[in-house]
């Protein structure tokens, strides 16, 4: 099936707060009735093929933006909490390592520094030190960038640069304890990706190396398994740093070095990349780094690929997460945010770092409807209506941007 491109809906049909980019769903006749042109498969852009290292991904559930950026389709998020690995998004900043690195996983080596007895450990040795499992939302800092009217450069993800994944590995604190504890004065935990760096460039300008506050080690894992299988190469196998609650980039794939450090790394991806800078500006170390996620939700069903929605009863559902704090409440609006009703949280609660699925039983008459969701975490933080404008299009949690316009026949 060709990918259906998001379409612009006539602004007059939207409430003033929602006059931005929205996705239209509904039967061809409903669209025609609303005075809108219908989508034709012939006019759709040719879908790009999956790259070789991720050829096993589900092509029907994903949107291939480039050879290193693959998004989950909004309509493909199921209602079973966990995002299947073959549907999960992929984002690689550098060429993916050779598949040889996952041929002998247990031989993978990681150097642990900034501890009493720094040393290199193999994955086989790590597995002897501890085991923990965490369900966590993995979300790219740029998820929702596609909703910024300023069209920041970078992948125009809508909602699908995110998924809820179960990770298994050894707690970072168990590794630190086994090696004599973290040295005094180390305020950061710095992870380095093991990609082979392209030659002729300053390594600091391209290496994937990120620092997070050392306090994040409390729940961090060095993980070798995701969703019950050894971490595939595309997702950072054989070994990945998992920092629950922190945006995607802080979860270092192919990790080859974990260092407790006094200062943040001066790698460019840390010092200038992934900074929340003013519109039109450039990132620099004085600006906030993208780190902890905040409360967010969106509706997936009925999704943008739904057709022929019939008037009457339906279940409006989606996902909600708090980043660092559990979600307490999700409200849904079917009138673009004028009125809200409490949705029901469904399915198992896999902990504060996982997302919750929500659903609201609604009755919709014929016509266009603007569906929105708004989550609140246990600390009382409410998902905002507006995005925080910034140059690179990071951290979009706006409920208005994530609203969906559906057309009911
Ligand atoms: N070593 C390494 N780790 C990395 C990256 C990378 O390019 N190299 N990309 C980061 C970014 S920006 C994101 S959003 C996530 C994507 O994880 P996924 O591809 O498993 O979905 O990995 C992060 N960790
Ligand atoms: Mo990312």
């Amino acid at each position: 099936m060709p990918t259906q491109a998001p379409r612009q809906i006539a602004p007059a049909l939207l409430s003033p707060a929602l006059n931005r980019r929205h996705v239209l769903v509904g039967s061809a006749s409903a669209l025609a009735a609303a005075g809108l042109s219908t989508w034709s498969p012939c006019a759709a852009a040719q879908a790009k093929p999956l790259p070789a290292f991720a050829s096993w991904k589900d092509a029907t559930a994903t949107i291939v933006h480039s050879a290193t950026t693959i998004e989950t389709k909004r309509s493909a998020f199921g209602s079973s909490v966990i995002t299947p690995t073959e549907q999960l998004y992929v984002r690689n900043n550098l060429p993916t390592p050779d598949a040889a690195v996952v041929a002998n996983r247990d031989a993978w080596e990681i150097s642990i520094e900034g501890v009493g007895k720094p040393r290199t450990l193999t994955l086989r040795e790590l597995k002897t030190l501890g085991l923990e499992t965490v369900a966590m939302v993995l979300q790219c800092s740029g998820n929702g960038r596609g909703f910024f009217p300023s069209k920041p450069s970078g992948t125009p993800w809508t909602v699908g640069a995110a998924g809820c994944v179960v990770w298994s590995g050894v707690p970072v604190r168990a590794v630190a304890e086994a090696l004599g504890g973290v040295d005094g004065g180390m305020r950061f935990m710095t992870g380095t990706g093991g990609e082979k760096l392209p030659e002729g460039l300053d390594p600091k300008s391209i290496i994937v190396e990120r620092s997070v506050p050392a306090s994040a080690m409390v729940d961090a894992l060095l993980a070798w398994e995701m969703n019950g299988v050894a971490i595939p190469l595309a997702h950072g196998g054989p070994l990945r740093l998992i920092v629950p609650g922190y945006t995607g980039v802080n979860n270092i794939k192919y990790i080859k070095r974990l260092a407790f450090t006094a200062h943040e790394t001066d790698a460019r991806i840390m010092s200038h990349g992934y900074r929340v800078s003013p519109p039109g500006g450039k990132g620099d170390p004085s600006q906030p780094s993208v780190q902890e996620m905040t409360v967010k939700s969106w509706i997936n069903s009925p999704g943008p690929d739904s057709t022929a929605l019939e008037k009457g009863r339906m279940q409006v559902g989606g996902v909600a997460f708090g980043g660092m704090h559990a979600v307490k409440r999700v409200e849904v609006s079917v009138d673009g945010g004028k009125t809200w009703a409490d949705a029901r949280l469904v399915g198992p609660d896999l902990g504060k770092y996982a997302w919750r699925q929500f659903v609201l039983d609604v009755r919709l008459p014929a016509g266009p409807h603007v569906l929105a969701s708004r989550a609140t975490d246990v600390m009382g933080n409410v998902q905002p209506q507006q995005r925080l404008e910034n140059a690179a299009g990071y951290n979009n949690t706006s409920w208005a941007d994530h609203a969906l316009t559906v057309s009911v026949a």
Side-chain angles (χ1 to χ4, degrees):
M1 247 199 62
T3 6
Q4 184 166 351
R7 298 190 66 91
Q8 209 75 29
I9 186 167
L13 290 177
L14 302 173
S15 72
L18 297 164
N19 58 357
R20 281 179 286 276
R21 198 180 313 179
H22 286 278
V23 179
L24 181 67
V25 303
S27 67
S29 57
L31 301 190
L36 296 158
S37 63
T38 55
W39 172 77
S40 126
C42 310
Q46 192 63 43
K48 292 192 188 77
L50 287 161
F53 76 98
S55 60
W56 49 271
K57 290 271 167 185
D58 181 347
T60 65
T62 48
I63 302 159
V64 180
H65 290 284
S66 76
T68 53
T69 46
I70 304 167
E71 175 166 9
T72 309
K73 278 188 191 168
R74 192 167 189 165
S75 53
F77 288 108
S79 46
S80 318
V81 187
I82 298 306
T83 309
T85 307
E86 61 273 18
Q87 302 190 2
L88 182 68
Y89 84 100
V90 175
R91 159 71 164 122
N92 267 354
N93 292 266
L94 285 171
T96 307
D98 195 90
V101 304
V102 288
N104 187 1
R105 292 169 176 271
D106 281 351
W108 180 263
E109 291 184 340
I110 178 171
S111 139
I112 312 287
E113 299 167 24
V115 290
K117 288 172 266 171
R119 57 162 287 191
T120 295
L121 293 167
T122 60
L123 177 46
R124 181 180 290 106
E125 289 169 316
L126 280 180
K127 286 177 176 173
T128 67
L129 298 179
L131 179 72
E132 198 52 73
T133 281
V134 66
M136 182 196 87
V137 175
L138 180 71
Q139 178 183 230
C140 182
S141 326
N143 198 29
R145 179 186 288 130
F147 298 126
F148 278 69
S150 54
K151 300 207 186 314
S153 66
T155 308
W157 314 104
T158 59
V159 300
C164 187
V165 179
V166 181
W167 305 95
S168 294
V170 60
V172 167
R173 60 190 144 65
V175 177
E177 270 162 36
L179 299 187
V182 175
D183 285 347
M186 300 308 181
R187 290 158 49 228
F188 298 95
M189 179 171 77
T190 298
T192 312
E195 288 107 333
K196 199 167 164 290
L197 301 179
E199 280 174 31
L201 295 166
D202 172 9
K204 286 275 177 206
S205 70
I206 44 175
I207 197 163
V208 177
E209 184 169 276
R210 296 275 305 173
S211 302
V212 296
S215 57
M217 76 182 276
V218 178
D219 289 330
L221 298 183
L222 285 169
W224 49 81
E225 189 180 299
M226 68 183 285
N227 293 344
V229 295
I231 301 179
L233 184 68
H235 292 294
L239 190 66
R240 181 171 193 170
L241 177 63
I242 294 300
V243 188
Y246 281 62
T247 60
V249 70
N250 301 294
N251 295 263
I252 305 294
K253 304 170 166 187
Y254 327 109
I255 187 164
K256 67 166 187 192
R257 174 177 172 260
L258 183 71
F260 294 94
T261 53
H263 303 282
E264 281 182 1
T265 168
D266 59 359
R268 194 154 180 96
I269 196 171
M270 186 77 208
S271 60
H272 292 73
Y274 296 88
R275 296 274 166 178
V276 183
S277 37
K282 283 201 163 63
D284 73 52
S286 72
Q287 295 150 353
S289 191
V290 289
Q291 293 192 315
E292 299 174 354
M293 296 189 287
T294 56
V295 67
K296 180 170 180 179
S297 71
W298 63 81
I299 287 165
N300 290 320
S301 177
D305 301 342
S306 317
T307 49
L309 287 175
E310 284 172 24
K311 67 175 192 279
R313 189 171 176 183
M314 69 180 76
Q315 306 294 314
V316 174
V319 296
F321 55 99
M324 303 301 291
H325 311 288
V327 163
K328 186 177 69 185
R329 177 186 194 197
V330 183
E331 299 158 285
V332 165
S333 173
V334 295
D335 56 14
K338 288 195 212 63
T339 59
W340 297 89
D342 275 317
R344 188 169 56 86
L345 298 176
V346 282
D349 179 350
L350 297 181
K352 65 178 178 179
Y353 298 120
W355 63 28
R356 296 299 307 269
Q357 238 94 18
F358 63 85
V359 73
L360 185 69
D361 188 324
V362 302
R363 281 165 185 73
L364 292 182
H369 303 276
V370 181
L371 311 182
S373 66
R374 182 172 71 182
T376 304
D377 71 16
V378 291
M379 306 299 284
N381 299 304
V382 183
Q383 183 179 353
Q385 177 168 359
Q386 304 298 346
R387 78 191 86 79
L388 174 71
E389 296 296 347
N390 65 91
Y394 292 134
N395 295 347
N396 191 350
T397 58
S398 152
W399 62 252
D401 280 359
H402 291 77
L404 270 173
T405 300
V406 299
S407 185
V408 174

